[in-house]
């Protein structure tokens, strides 16, 4: 083999070695991603459950005022939607508008 051919062969081998290293790194990342996604899904499920519990606890509850049962309305915050109001209050808001 000529000197030029040996240099090209050596250079190509170095390129292939570098490509192999890059592909091995990518393969390792691809293999770990499903595990990371599973953890993220579990965290998302927990957060969703917590938010649902918080919304449920913020729902209107009956109370007593002057000996009468009334529906207590939670304090208005940016994340509270009109749909969380009791139906009678929703109808009143619609009529007022």
């Amino acid at each position: 083999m000529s000197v030029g051919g040996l240099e090209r062969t050596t250079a190509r081998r170095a390129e292939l070695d570098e490509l192999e290293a890059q592909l091995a790194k990518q393969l390792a990342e691809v293999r770990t991603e499903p595990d990371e996604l599973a953890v993220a899904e579990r965290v998302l499920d927990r957060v969703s459950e917590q938010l649902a519990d918080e919304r449920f606890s913020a729902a209107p509850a009956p109370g007593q005022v002057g000996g009468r049962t009334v529906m207590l309305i939670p304090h208005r915050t940016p994340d509270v939607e009109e749909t969380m109001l009791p139906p009678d209050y929703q109808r009143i808001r619609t009529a007022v508008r």
Side-chain angles (χ1 to χ4, degrees):
M1 187 180 288
S2 69
V3 175
L6 182 59
E7 287 175 0
R8 283 193 301 272
T9 303
T10 303
R12 182 63 180 149
R13 185 172 302 277
E15 289 173 8
L16 291 174
D17 289 343
E18 183 179 335
L19 181 58
E20 180 182 18
Q22 290 173 356
L23 291 173
K25 181 181 176 184
Q26 287 178 342
L27 181 59
E29 290 171 357
V30 166
R31 287 183 174 160
T32 60
E33 190 168 347
D35 294 336
E36 293 171 354
L37 288 174
V39 170
E41 288 171 349
R42 286 194 301 268
V43 169
L44 182 59
D45 287 344
R46 287 182 192 146
V47 169
S48 295
E49 288 172 9
Q50 288 174 349
L51 288 174
D53 290 345
E54 288 174 10
R55 284 192 178 121
F56 178 75
S57 66
Q64 292 287 322
V65 174
R68 296 183 57 191
T69 300
V70 296
M71 186 61 70
L72 300 176
I73 303 300
H75 290 286
R76 181 100 172 146
T77 60
D79 63 331
V80 175
E81 297 182 21
E82 288 183 27
T83 57
M84 293 182 72
L85 294 171
D88 289 337
Y89 285 90
Q90 291 181 34
R91 283 192 290 276
I92 292 168
R93 286 184 59 96
T94 301
V96 169
R97 281 193 207 131

